[in-house]
Amino acid sequence: MVKPIVFVHIPKTAGTSFRWGADSFFGKENVCRDYGKKSLETSVIVRDWLSSEKDGWIFEREFIRQGYQFLTGHFNAAKYIDIFDAGRVITFLRDPIQRIVSEYNHIVRNTGNEVSFESFYRNPEYINRQLRLVGRRTWTEFGFIGFVDAYQESLSLLNRKFNIEIPYLHKNIAKSERVEPQLLSAEQLLELRSLNAEELDFYDRARIQFNWRIRLANADQSFVCGCVTKFEAGRLKGWAVSEDVDEAVLVQLRVGKRVVAECKANEYRPYCKARGLGRGGFVGFSLEVCDVVGPDDVECVVASTGQPLPFVDFDWTLPSI
């Protein structure tokens, strides 16, 4: 049985186009929706679950029994990532500033709310919103992260990865905008970038991984999911797993361009097993850092391709001298 795909639908990221494409491919009756208790779009199975004790095991069992193959909605990934395999969770990202402007325009256009743009983007609910929906610590676990400005290419890569054929549709295009990104003042841009600094950094790092996914796909090489998670007792630790092969990934530690250590990512990580990240959880690696260096001086890469593994929620504490 093929496990379902979970789509974190971040507002104003081409999610409606993608969701309609999913309806077309899977069949609307096989697509479950969670847009909150008050939304008419939310499926009955989700309403019942939200009104119960929220037993994830029971929800998954009922979800599968009813034949659902796809779950979508404006929810935090954390809501379902422990129920379904993390590697089946997907999303699309958009330039953070453009997305904020687009969501503001959408709200004004559809609700008549006359809140000022500045009041809107200063509201904590809309600051770093993409990052909060995806998860600061969990985005590298996602099976796929695509990008709105490369939507067709993203869709092609996603279909290839999951062996599906969601069609390209272009829906929900606004005809007029109250605020346009290119007309923002220098002061507004500066404040937006300051408020959303975490998300801008996350967006850039996720884009690097997406670009590597394209590069490796074109070279018929395997993309590796993974990250560096901690520096402990003089060792860098993390996890890595290939999307296409079962062999353990060979990870290298580089200082500058020099390879100083390497090992296979085959250590057991209970957390990775619980998340369904592959190889039964035997995906961890641990590399000794011989020199006293800072995080900007080192990188962990996949030995066979050079693909870098991002540092996630990382606390670097240098050893005392």
Side-chain angles (χ1 to χ4, degrees):
M1 180 189 67
V2 177
K3 294 186 177 181
I5 292 173
V6 179
F7 173 47
V8 179
H9 180 182
I10 299 170
K12 311 314 295 178
T13 59
T16 300
S17 296
F18 181 68
R19 189 188 69 185
W20 287 16
D23 284 349
S24 174
F25 175 73
F26 292 107
K28 195 170 184 179
E29 70 280 3
N30 296 319
V31 174
C32 182
R33 293 171 173 77
D34 179 0
Y35 286 91
K37 282 185 178 181
K38 296 180 180 180
S39 174
L40 297 176
E41 290 190 77
T42 297
S43 301
V44 173
I45 182 178
V46 174
R47 292 179 187 278
D48 290 345
W49 183 57
L50 293 175
S51 301
S52 68
E53 297 178 355
K54 294 187 178 180
D55 187 321
W57 183 82
I58 291 177
F59 177 79
E60 180 188 25
R61 186 181 64 179
E62 188 63 16
F63 187 97
I64 293 171
R65 188 191 70 79
Q66 293 191 26
Y68 286 117
Q69 300 173 44
F70 191 88
L71 171 63
T72 180
H74 294 324
F75 48 74
N76 288 59
K79 187 173 184 178
Y80 292 106
I81 204 168
D82 287 325
I83 298 176
F84 303 100
D85 286 352
R88 306 289 293 183
V89 180
I90 63 174
T91 196
F92 288 90
L93 301 179
R94 184 176 181 181
D95 174 86
I97 307 304
Q98 291 184 4
R99 198 211 65 79
I100 290 170
V101 171
S102 183
E103 185 166 19
Y104 171 74
N105 288 324
H106 174 81
I107 289 174
V108 170
R109 186 169 52 245
N110 289 279
T111 68
N113 192 329
E114 290 299 316
V115 63
S116 71
F117 181 50
E118 288 78 7
S119 296
F120 173 82
Y121 71 65
R122 290 169 184 163
N123 185 331
E125 181 181 352
Y126 301 106
I127 295 173
N128 293 317
R129 191 171 188 194
Q130 291 183 109
L131 177 57
R132 288 186 290 106
L133 287 172
V134 170
R136 288 176 172 83
R137 299 182 180 182
T138 57
W139 66 270
T140 56
E141 301 171 19
F142 276 40
F144 185 85
I145 295 178
F147 286 80
V148 171
D149 65 325
Y151 182 67
Q152 283 187 278
E153 190 163 24
S154 296
L155 185 59
S156 176
L157 289 167
L158 184 145
N159 281 336
R160 173 177 172 177
K161 172 180 168 61
F162 291 105
N163 193 28
I164 55 180
E165 296 181 4
I166 292 177
Y168 174 76
L169 299 175
H170 208 37
K171 303 290 184 181
N172 199 29
I173 306 300
K175 299 300 182 183
S176 62
E177 300 290 7
R178 179 168 174 171
V179 175
E180 298 184 15
Q182 67 271 25
L183 299 181
L184 295 178
S185 69
E187 291 77 12
Q188 287 174 323
L189 278 172
L190 184 63
E191 185 176 13
L192 280 163
R193 290 188 174 279
S194 177
L195 289 170
N196 296 279
E198 281 188 273
E199 183 171 303
L200 286 162
D201 176 66
F202 151 66
Y203 180 89
D204 288 342
R205 289 189 292 151
R207 191 58 181 251
I208 289 171
Q209 293 302 305
F210 177 74
N211 291 339
W212 270 95
R213 183 183 286 277
I214 295 172
R215 177 177 174 178
L216 294 170
N218 290 336
D220 199 27
Q221 293 178 302
S222 297
F223 181 81
V224 169
C225 293
C227 62
V228 186
T229 57
K230 65 173 66 175
F231 178 63
E232 183 178 76
R235 304 183 76 87
L236 282 172
K237 296 185 177 183
W239 62 273
V241 59
S242 170
E243 287 190 338
D244 302 313
V245 296
D246 290 333
E247 288 79 8
V249 175
L250 183 64
V251 178
Q252 291 181 338
L253 172 64
R254 297 180 181 176
V255 177
K257 295 183 179 180
R258 181 169 56 98
V259 177
V260 298
E262 66 178 24
C263 71
K264 287 188 175 182
N266 58 11
E267 296 177 2
Y268 181 62
R269 296 284 193 272
Y271 172 86
C272 293
K273 181 179 181 180
R275 293 288 207 192
L277 293 173
R279 303 192 80 248
F282 288 90
V283 295
F285 64 83
S286 178
L287 293 159
E288 184 175 1
V289 181
C290 299
D291 303 319
V292 178
V293 294
D296 295 332
D297 302 315
V298 303
E299 64 174 349
C300 292
V301 305
V302 178
S304 60
T305 64
Q307 178 194 339
L309 299 175
F311 288 65
V312 173
D313 195 38
F314 195 82
D315 180 22
W316 184 285
T317 304
L318 290 174
S320 58
I321 300 177

